Amino acid sequence: MEWQLQDAKNQFSKVVDKARTEGPQVVTRRGQQTAVVLSIEDYNALKSGRPSFVDDLLAGPAWDDALVDAIEARPEWPRRDVTL
């Protein structure tokens, strides 16, 4: 169901109850869909199936041994605290 923002503010308890019993409630502002009120069950279901940013990074391609060796063999850059 869609709710105009003013109606959603005035009847927030009803919006929350409908989100719990009927599913997501869409809130509009000036005729544009702006927000959604979800039950905690719907929110947790969305959140649980989504990997975190760290999970995405860790799931990236594995580095082969040659790349690791090349990175470890590179010379250190001069440090700022070293005087010439």
Side-chain angles (χ1 to χ4, degrees):
M1 177 173 191
E2 283 194 357
W3 299 80
Q4 292 180 0
L5 180 59
Q6 189 64 37
D7 294 336
K9 288 185 343 187
N10 292 336
Q11 301 179 55
F12 190 66
S13 292
K14 188 174 182 179
V15 174
V16 171
D17 289 341
K18 285 189 173 277
R20 292 179 61 220
T21 59
E22 297 177 16
Q25 302 294 300
V26 176
V27 179
T28 62
R29 184 181 220 176
R30 297 186 188 113
Q32 299 292 319
Q33 293 182 338
T34 306
V36 176
V37 178
L38 297 173
S39 68
I40 193 65
E41 292 84 10
D42 288 342
Y43 174 74
N44 287 334
L46 285 173
K47 212 171 87 169
S48 69
R50 187 172 166 189
S52 71
F53 179 68
V54 172
D55 293 333
D56 284 341
L57 288 176
L58 293 175
W63 291 10
D64 64 2
D65 292 337
L67 178 59
V68 172
D69 291 342
I71 291 171
E72 290 176 350
R74 68 181 179 184
E76 289 189 31
W77 292 96
R79 297 188 180 134
R80 292 185 185 264
D81 60 332
V82 176
T83 57
L84 299 175

